[in-house]
Amino acid sequence: MSSFSRTGLWGAADAYERYMGRWSRGVAPLFLDWLGAPPGRAWADIGCGTGELSLGIARRCAPGRLVGIDPSRAFLDRAASRVPGAEFREGDAALLDLPDAGFDYAVSGLVLNFLPDKAAGLAEMARVVRPGGTVALYVWDYAGHMQIMRRFFDAARLVDPASSAYDDGINAPICRPEPLREAFRAAGLAAPETTALDIPAAFAGFDDYWEPFLGGTGSAPKYCASLDESTRDRIRDMLRERLPTGPDGEILLAVRAWGVRGTVPG
Ligand SMILES: C[S@@+](CC[C@H](N)C(=O)[O-])C[C@H]1O[C@@H](n2cnc3c(N)ncnc32)[C@H](O)[C@@H]1O
């Protein structure tokens, strides 16, 4: 399972939930509202993970069929328990075990930048969608207003310049509007469009923000796990000083994903 062998990047479903699932959950409905799909359509959710986007599809779009694909057995088991009626299968975005033109929508939430061969992943999404159907996805705005990670890496860089090796704001240039539209054009998708999907992220206090970085799941937590205790503590203290904190200790950050959609030509 190619890219998934970036061992343990996605680790445990619970750690993912605390670090990212709770924010991913807020973005999926905005994305689906933007798509405005009619009921009864066939959906493929590529890189479905623990099922945030699949759950949104099941609740908001009354799908006729919903298939989720992910390389992680643990994530698929979690997704299946949350979205009864959907099919969840092990697979790789670069080589989908799905028929040509079998779906109205192929979608993906927060996955594209993790694929080693993004063009192959998009080509596969386009292949499994019927002419006139939609390929659409979203990714975090790592370089801009995904402030949970942006704030972390901006502070980490001041303590440890080597942190940039893990910074998706640097490593994932695809996660900006023009590169996303260009990747869709290159995959042969017509009329690619992008939109900003914005939600607020409220943390009850510093520990609520910081603790998920210690869970080992995702790029920044992986980086944290690679550090000695004193470097990690210096980054934590730097962040504590710099994060915008209200009088009651609450920390309020912006969270942006970029959505992109295109049509499979007839
Ligand atoms: C950030 S998670 C997003 C999960 C879910 N879509 C969501 O929005 O919460 C990224 C997902 O991509 C999956 N993934 C990684 N490499 C993949 C590949 N080659 N093919 C399909 N999925 C992959 C991971 O297993 C993980 O579930």
Side-chain angles (χ1 to χ4, degrees), residues 89-165:
R89 303 192 199 158
E90 265 181 72
D92 189 319
L95 195 63
L96 295 174
D97 186 16
L98 296 172
D100 292 357
F103 293 85
D104 302 295
Y105 289 84
V107 292
S108 174
L110 310 173
V111 176
L112 183 67
N113 52 295
F114 298 108
L115 301 181
D117 189 343
K118 295 164 188 51
L122 290 176
E124 279 293 84
M125 289 176 82
R127 179 185 66 77
V128 303
V129 169
R130 64 164 170 82
T134 298
V135 174
L137 58 84
Y138 54 96
V139 289
W140 291 128
D141 181 21
Y142 294 105
H145 293 295
M146 193 341 159
Q147 292 185 348
I148 299 173
M149 286 99 144
R150 194 63 268 131
R151 294 276 185 163
F152 173 88
F153 280 110
D154 287 350
R157 197 178 53 244
L158 300 175
V159 172
D160 172 24
S163 62
S164 58

Side-chain angles (χ1 to χ4, degrees), residues 3-4 10 16 24 47-49 52 70-71 75 92-93 109-111 115:
S3 65
F4 198 67
W10 300 110
Y16 177 74
S24 163
C48 61
E52 285 311 333
D70 201 279
F75 282 4
D92 189 319
L110 310 173
V111 176
L115 301 181

Side-chain angles (χ1 to χ4, degrees), residues 4-29:
F4 198 67
S5 59
R6 285 177 74 183
T7 29
L9 184 63
W10 300 110
D14 287 336
Y16 177 74
E17 165 59 25
R18 283 192 301 277
Y19 178 57
M20 216 32 70
R22 53 178 165 163
W23 313 119
S24 163
R25 181 167 313 134
V27 171

Side-chain angles (χ1 to χ4, degrees), residues 35-235:
L35 295 186
R41 297 304 193 258
W43 294 76
D45 178 7
I46 310 305
C48 61
T50 56
E52 285 311 333
L53 180 53
S54 293
L55 192 60
I57 295 165
R59 286 186 175 157
R60 302 173 88 86
C61 305
R65 184 181 181 206
L66 171 55
V67 179
I69 304 285
D70 201 279
S72 163
R73 190 69 254 163
F75 282 4
L76 290 167
D77 289 345
R78 176 68 63 93
S81 72
R82 300 172 72 201
V83 197
E87 303 160 51
F88 290 99
R89 303 192 199 158
E90 265 181 72
D92 189 319
L95 195 63
L96 295 174
D97 186 16
L98 296 172
D100 292 357
F103 293 85
D104 302 295
Y105 289 84
V107 292
S108 174
L110 310 173
V111 176
L112 183 67
N113 52 295
F114 298 108
L115 301 181
D117 189 343
K118 295 164 188 51
L122 290 176
E124 279 293 84
M125 289 176 82
R127 179 185 66 77
V128 303
V129 169
R130 64 164 170 82
T134 298
V135 174
L137 58 84
Y138 54 96
V139 289
W140 291 128
D141 181 21
Y142 294 105
H145 293 295
M146 193 341 159
Q147 292 185 348
I148 299 173
M149 286 99 144
R150 194 63 268 131
R151 294 276 185 163
F152 173 88
F153 280 110
D154 287 350
R157 197 178 53 244
L158 300 175
V159 172
D160 172 24
S163 62
S164 58
Y166 291 80
D167 182 351
D168 292 316
I170 296 167
N171 300 331
I174 186 79
C175 296
R176 299 292 298 168
E178 182 46 35
L180 286 170
R181 290 192 296 267
E182 184 45 42
F184 267 47
R185 275 192 286 272
L189 293 160
E193 284 179 76
T194 45
T195 194
L197 305 167
D198 290 326
I199 59 166
F203 297 89
F206 183 76
D207 291 346
D208 187 29
Y209 171 84
W210 176 248
E211 184 268 340
F213 284 93
L214 307 179
T217 291
S219 301
K222 269 300 242 192
Y223 165 66
C224 275
S226 76
L227 296 173
D228 59 74
E229 199 178 337
S230 98
T231 310
R232 199 165 46 238
D233 287 354
R234 281 164 58 216
I235 293 172

Side-chain angles (χ1 to χ4, degrees), residues 245-262:
T245 305
D248 52 359
E250 188 184 51
I251 295 166
L252 188 60
L253 299 176
V255 167
R256 171 170 291 176
W258 289 110
V260 56
R261 67 183 177 195

